[in-house]
Amino acid sequence: VKLGLGWPENPFDTGHKWDLDVSLFGLGANGKIIDDAHFIYYNQKQTPNGSIVHSGDNTVGNTAGDDETILVDLALLDPKVTELSVIVTIHDAANRGQKFGQIPGCHINLYDAATGEKKSGYDLEDDFTEETAVQFGSLFKKDGAWLFKAVGQGFKKGLQDFVDIYTVPA
Protein backbone atom coordinates (compact mmCIF):
# COMPACT_ATOMS: atom_id res chain seq x y z
CA VAL A 1 0.00 0.00 0.00
CA LYS A 2 0.97 3.62 -0.37
CA LEU A 3 -0.01 6.56 1.82
CA GLY A 4 0.12 10.01 0.26
CA LEU A 5 -0.02 13.35 2.09
CA GLY A 6 -0.33 16.56 0.10
CA TRP A 7 -0.80 20.27 0.69
CA PRO A 8 -0.11 23.52 -1.16
CA GLU A 9 2.72 25.91 -0.44
CA ASN A 10 1.64 28.74 1.88
CA PRO A 11 0.93 31.72 -0.44
CA PHE A 12 0.66 34.16 2.48
CA ASP A 13 3.40 35.94 4.36
CA THR A 14 2.49 34.57 7.78
CA GLY A 15 6.08 34.07 8.89
CA HIS A 16 5.72 30.28 8.75
CA LYS A 17 5.42 27.71 6.01
CA TRP A 18 2.85 24.95 6.27
CA ASP A 19 4.77 21.81 7.18
CA LEU A 20 2.62 18.69 7.42
CA ASP A 21 4.01 15.30 8.34
CA VAL A 22 2.75 11.74 7.90
CA SER A 23 3.91 9.11 10.39
CA LEU A 24 3.28 5.41 10.80
CA PHE A 25 3.33 3.43 14.04
CA GLY A 26 3.88 -0.35 13.79
CA LEU A 27 1.86 -1.69 16.72
CA GLY A 28 1.75 -5.08 18.37
CA ALA A 29 -1.20 -6.88 19.94
CA ASN A 30 -0.92 -4.62 23.02
CA GLY A 31 -1.55 -1.48 20.91
CA LYS A 32 2.01 -0.19 21.46
CA ILE A 33 4.99 0.20 19.10
CA ILE A 34 6.76 -3.18 18.87
CA ASP A 35 10.12 -1.36 18.94
CA ASP A 36 11.57 2.03 18.03
CA ALA A 37 12.46 0.82 14.53
CA HIS A 38 8.72 0.54 13.73
CA PHE A 39 7.96 4.23 14.28
CA ILE A 40 8.38 5.68 10.80
CA TYR A 41 8.47 9.44 10.31
CA TYR A 42 10.60 12.17 8.67
CA ASN A 43 13.68 11.42 10.84
CA GLN A 44 13.43 7.63 10.66
CA LYS A 45 12.52 6.83 7.10
CA GLN A 46 12.39 3.04 7.06
CA THR A 47 12.23 -0.17 9.01
CA PRO A 48 15.44 -2.26 9.16
CA ASN A 49 14.19 -4.69 6.50
CA GLY A 50 12.70 -1.97 4.25
CA SER A 51 9.09 -3.13 4.69
CA ILE A 52 8.06 0.48 5.39
CA VAL A 53 9.75 3.39 3.59
CA HIS A 54 9.02 7.12 4.08
CA SER A 55 9.82 9.44 1.16
CA GLY A 56 11.33 12.10 3.45
CA ASP A 57 10.33 15.42 4.93
CA ASN A 58 8.80 17.97 2.59
CA THR A 59 8.67 21.17 4.64
CA VAL A 60 6.83 23.43 2.18
CA GLY A 61 4.20 21.42 0.27
CA ASN A 62 5.34 22.49 -3.17
CA THR A 63 4.96 19.18 -5.02
CA ALA A 64 2.07 18.48 -7.37
CA GLY A 65 -0.07 15.70 -5.86
CA ASP A 66 1.44 14.07 -2.78
CA ASP A 67 4.27 15.81 -0.93
CA GLU A 68 5.15 12.98 1.46
CA THR A 69 4.52 9.28 0.90
CA ILE A 70 4.96 6.07 2.84
CA LEU A 71 5.21 2.75 1.02
CA VAL A 72 4.36 -0.41 2.95
CA ASP A 73 5.14 -3.93 1.78
CA LEU A 74 2.68 -5.85 3.95
CA ALA A 75 4.25 -9.21 3.09
CA LEU A 76 7.61 -8.12 4.54
CA LEU A 77 6.30 -6.64 7.80
CA ASP A 78 7.62 -8.01 11.07
CA PRO A 79 5.07 -10.67 12.11
CA LYS A 80 4.73 -8.98 15.53
CA VAL A 81 3.12 -5.96 13.81
CA THR A 82 -0.66 -6.39 13.95
CA GLU A 83 -1.65 -2.79 13.22
CA LEU A 84 -0.23 0.22 11.40
CA SER A 85 -1.62 3.50 12.75
CA VAL A 86 -1.41 6.46 10.34
CA ILE A 87 -1.02 9.89 11.92
CA VAL A 88 -0.83 13.29 10.20
CA THR A 89 0.46 16.30 12.14
CA ILE A 90 1.29 19.94 11.49
CA HIS A 91 4.88 20.55 12.50
CA ASP A 92 5.16 22.99 15.44
CA ALA A 93 1.46 23.86 15.05
CA ALA A 94 1.01 25.40 18.49
CA ASN A 95 3.94 27.80 18.14
CA ARG A 96 2.99 28.68 14.57
CA GLY A 97 -0.72 29.09 15.35
CA GLN A 98 -1.66 26.71 12.53
CA LYS A 99 -4.49 24.20 12.11
CA PHE A 100 -5.76 22.09 9.23
CA GLY A 101 -8.69 24.41 8.51
CA GLN A 102 -6.23 27.11 7.38
CA ILE A 103 -4.55 24.91 4.77
CA PRO A 104 -6.62 24.65 1.58
CA GLY A 105 -6.32 21.44 -0.38
CA CYS A 106 -4.49 19.39 2.25
CA HIS A 107 -5.28 15.68 1.95
CA ILE A 108 -4.23 12.19 2.98
CA ASN A 109 -4.95 9.20 0.74
CA LEU A 110 -4.46 5.44 0.81
CA TYR A 111 -3.57 3.82 -2.52
CA ASP A 112 -3.04 0.34 -3.87
CA ALA A 113 0.70 0.71 -4.56
CA ALA A 114 0.61 -1.75 -7.48
CA THR A 115 -2.22 -0.08 -9.40
CA GLY A 116 -2.19 3.48 -8.02
CA GLU A 117 -5.93 3.19 -7.31
CA LYS A 118 -7.11 5.40 -4.45
CA LYS A 119 -8.82 3.29 -1.77
CA SER A 120 -9.60 5.89 0.90
CA GLY A 121 -8.87 9.51 1.71
CA TYR A 122 -9.69 12.66 3.63
CA ASP A 123 -9.65 16.33 2.73
CA LEU A 124 -8.12 17.54 5.97
CA GLU A 125 -9.14 21.21 5.72
CA ASP A 126 -12.85 20.44 5.44
CA ASP A 127 -13.20 17.91 8.24
CA PHE A 128 -10.62 19.20 10.73
CA THR A 129 -10.91 22.98 10.97
CA GLU A 130 -9.50 23.40 14.49
CA GLU A 131 -7.28 20.32 14.75
CA THR A 132 -3.48 20.07 14.47
CA ALA A 133 -3.27 16.26 14.23
CA VAL A 134 -5.42 13.54 12.67
CA GLN A 135 -5.43 9.79 13.06
CA PHE A 136 -6.27 8.97 9.45
CA GLY A 137 -6.83 5.29 10.01
CA SER A 138 -5.23 1.94 10.66
CA LEU A 139 -4.24 -1.04 8.62
CA PHE A 140 -4.82 -4.09 10.77
CA LYS A 141 -4.36 -7.80 10.43
CA LYS A 142 -7.40 -10.04 10.84
CA ASP A 143 -7.45 -13.76 10.05
CA GLY A 144 -4.20 -13.41 8.11
CA ALA A 145 -5.47 -10.57 5.88
CA TRP A 146 -4.66 -6.86 6.07
CA LEU A 147 -7.69 -4.56 6.23
CA PHE A 148 -8.08 -0.78 6.46
CA LYS A 149 -10.15 0.94 9.11
CA ALA A 150 -10.83 4.64 8.56
CA VAL A 151 -10.65 6.52 11.86
CA GLY A 152 -10.76 10.21 10.95
CA GLN A 153 -10.24 11.44 14.51
CA GLY A 154 -8.86 14.95 14.91
CA PHE A 155 -6.82 16.17 17.86
CA LYS A 156 -5.25 19.35 19.16
CA LYS A 157 -1.95 17.52 19.70
CA GLY A 158 1.49 17.13 18.18
CA LEU A 159 3.60 14.17 17.07
CA GLN A 160 5.22 13.73 20.49
CA ASP A 161 1.78 13.19 22.04
CA PHE A 162 1.24 10.17 19.76
CA VAL A 163 4.72 8.84 20.49
CA ASP A 164 3.80 8.98 24.19
CA ILE A 165 0.49 7.20 23.57
CA TYR A 166 2.01 4.40 21.50
CA THR A 167 5.19 3.81 23.54
CA VAL A 168 5.42 1.29 26.36
CA PRO A 169 6.49 3.13 29.54
CA ALA A 170 10.06 2.43 30.61
Side-chain angles (χ1 to χ4, degrees), residues 63-118:
T63 307
D66 296 327
D67 296 293
E68 290 185 15
T69 59
I70 296 179
L71 290 172
V72 181
D73 186 334
L74 297 169
L76 290 180
L77 276 178
D78 185 306
K80 293 180 283 191
V81 173
T82 60
E83 181 178 353
L84 297 167
S85 181
V86 182
I87 305 294
V88 179
T89 54
I90 301 172
H91 180 73
D92 205 23
N95 291 330
R96 294 177 177 194
Q98 296 175 340
K99 46 196 164 205
F100 284 114
Q102 299 169 317
I103 307 172
C106 58
H107 66 270
I108 178 80
N109 295 315
L110 174 72
Y111 304 95
D112 178 315
T115 66
E117 179 185 357
K118 179 180 167 181

Side-chain angles (χ1 to χ4, degrees), residues 25-68:
F25 293 84
L27 310 177
N30 65 352
K32 302 292 183 181
I33 302 170
I34 65 165
D35 59 42
D36 290 345
H38 286 82
F39 165 41
I40 304 303
Y41 69 116
Y42 54 84
N43 276 338
Q44 182 163 278
K45 296 185 198 101
Q46 68 178 36
T47 55
N49 72 351
S51 60
I52 305 171
V53 178
H54 193 295
S55 64
D57 194 14
N58 181 321
T59 61
V60 295
N62 58 355
T63 307
D66 296 327
D67 296 293
E68 290 185 15

Side-chain angles (χ1 to χ4, degrees), residues 4-24:
L5 172 65
W7 69 98
E9 190 168 7
N10 189 346
F12 308 108
D13 185 13
T14 62
H16 300 289
K17 299 173 184 173
W18 293 322
D19 181 3
L20 279 60
D21 297 304
V22 60
S23 303
L24 194 67

Side-chain angles (χ1 to χ4, degrees), residues 108-146:
I108 178 80
N109 295 315
L110 174 72
Y111 304 95
D112 178 315
T115 66
E117 179 185 357
K118 179 180 167 181
K119 297 294 187 176
S120 184
Y122 286 120
D123 292 326
L124 299 170
E125 72 173 301
D126 295 335
D127 296 329
F128 306 103
T129 57
E130 296 295 317
E131 290 80 2
T132 58
V134 174
Q135 182 182 12
F136 169 56
S138 289
L139 290 155
F140 66 98
K141 198 171 196 176
K142 182 176 180 182
D143 299 328
W146 284 94

